[in-house]
Amino acid sequence: MAEVLIKIKDGIKDYVTDEVVTKVLRGVSFEIRAGEFLAITGPSGSGKSTLMHVIGFLDRLTEGIYEFEGKNVAEFSDDELASLRNKKVGFVFQTFNLLPKTSVLENVKLPLVYAGISAKEMDEKAKEAIKAVGLFHRLNYLSNQLSGGEKQRVAIARALVNQPAVIFADEPTGNLDSKSGTQIMEILEKLNDEGKTVILVTHEQDTADHAKRIIRIRDGQIIGDSIVDHRRSVKDGELRK
């Protein structure tokens, strides 16, 4: 059995605004093993994006324990968390978050700026990631010259370029037409088949059905955690065991 990559026990997240406490996560507990393809799903306001921000080192728990690769994240400084985000995690967002009027190659190279490697090696790693998402023919195109689906593929290449331990995809098909969304899910499936841990955050059941396991969250609590017996697969165009 694969090692436990992420473990959260009794996770609580509160936000305080003008002395008003908003409880977002209410004692969530779960484990994610290396190589899983997991979907976190629930309605808007359920806490799923906050949960992704916590496990992606963009935010911290108010109470509870979060362990990543067996280490207590609460003991890491902000600088150490930033380093973990850069080296261990790749993010794919609904809004792409690309630099406009900047080439595909330069966008994908961004996470390597602080990697302490040569310009030549940066180019090689970025080109390899761009090939992996089938966009090498757009290498020198500016991001604002691309379609929505192509922009999301650039975002996936950027997430891949540091060979992270886990890829977080937050509503990755939300701004795309059905054909482009299918292409993005095909890439995420392929990455998981190659051994990458993929964590998908979505409110769309059709998208969640591509995962191998689904955690359902409502009002900040986990209401379901199940293995998907019949996955929806782009590879064969139908549900599969």
Side-chain angles (χ1 to χ4, degrees):
M1 186 176 288
E3 65 180 13
V4 175
L5 183 68
I6 288 166
K7 180 178 181 179
I8 289 190
K9 183 171 175 56
D10 301 325
I12 292 172
K13 180 62 185 179
D14 298 335
Y15 290 106
V16 181
T17 306
D18 297 328
E19 299 183 358
V20 176
V21 178
T22 302
K23 296 185 177 296
V24 183
L25 298 177
R26 303 166 181 257
V28 298
S29 298
F30 60 93
E31 294 181 355
I32 301 173
R33 294 185 178 273
E36 284 202 68
F37 190 162
L38 169 75
I40 299 172
T41 187
S44 296
S46 60
K48 61 185 184 297
S49 289
T50 297
L51 180 58
M52 190 202 76
H53 288 166
V54 167
I55 58 181
F57 312 118
L58 294 169
D59 208 344
R60 293 179 185 263
L61 288 174
T62 305
E63 296 179 36
I65 297 172
Y66 172 22
E67 294 180 355
F68 183 83
E69 294 182 334
K71 298 176 182 177
N72 190 342
V73 172
E75 297 174 359
F76 295 146
S77 68
D78 288 345
D79 285 345
E80 287 171 325
L81 283 186
S83 179
L84 276 175
R85 273 198 306 274
N86 190 50
K87 295 177 181 177
K88 294 287 188 176
V89 173
F91 287 101
V92 180
F93 294 103
Q94 179 177 350
T95 51
F96 318 130
N97 291 3
L98 302 180
L99 293 178
K101 298 182 180 178
T102 304
S103 73
V104 169
L105 180 61
E106 293 301 319
N107 267 287
V108 174
K109 280 165 59 175
L110 273 176
L112 298 171
V113 170
Y114 302 105
I117 61 177
S118 68
K120 180 182 178 183
E121 190 174 352
M122 285 173 63
D123 276 355
E124 289 173 351
K125 285 179 175 289
K127 287 176 181 177
E128 185 178 337
I130 293 165
K131 283 179 183 175
V133 299
L135 269 189
F136 199 73
H137 61 297
R138 296 282 194 259
L139 190 70
N140 295 310
Y141 276 56
L142 303 183
S143 62
N144 58 357
Q145 295 176 311
L146 304 175
S147 69
E150 288 173 334
K151 288 178 181 177
Q152 195 60 293
R153 282 196 268 170
V154 175
I156 293 174
R158 184 182 56 194
L160 284 175
V161 75
N162 260 337
Q163 291 296 307
V166 57
I167 296 169
F168 290 98
D170 189 2
E171 302 284 6
T173 62
N175 281 341
L176 305 178
D177 59 52
S178 58
K179 180 180 177 182
S180 297
T182 297
Q183 290 172 341
I184 295 307
M185 293 312 302
E186 184 175 16
I187 291 170
L188 293 176
E189 283 182 12
K190 181 173 180 288
L191 292 171
N192 179 248
D193 288 343
E194 293 169 354
K196 289 288 184 190
T197 305
V198 178
I199 299 176
L200 177 68
V201 175
T202 182
H203 69 278
E204 298 174 344
Q205 188 60 49
D206 283 353
T207 303
D209 284 342
H210 287 270
K212 297 175 181 176
R213 173 185 169 199
I214 298 176
I215 287 179
R216 292 180 172 83
I217 186 167
R218 182 182 295 158
D219 298 328
Q221 295 180 308
I222 292 174
I223 61 169
D225 185 348
S226 58
I227 301 299
V228 179
D229 292 326
H230 300 277
R231 290 177 63 205
R232 182 177 300 279
S233 172
V234 176
K235 187 179 297 182
D236 53 23
E238 59 187 33
L239 298 181
R240 63 175 178 176
K241 291 185 178 180

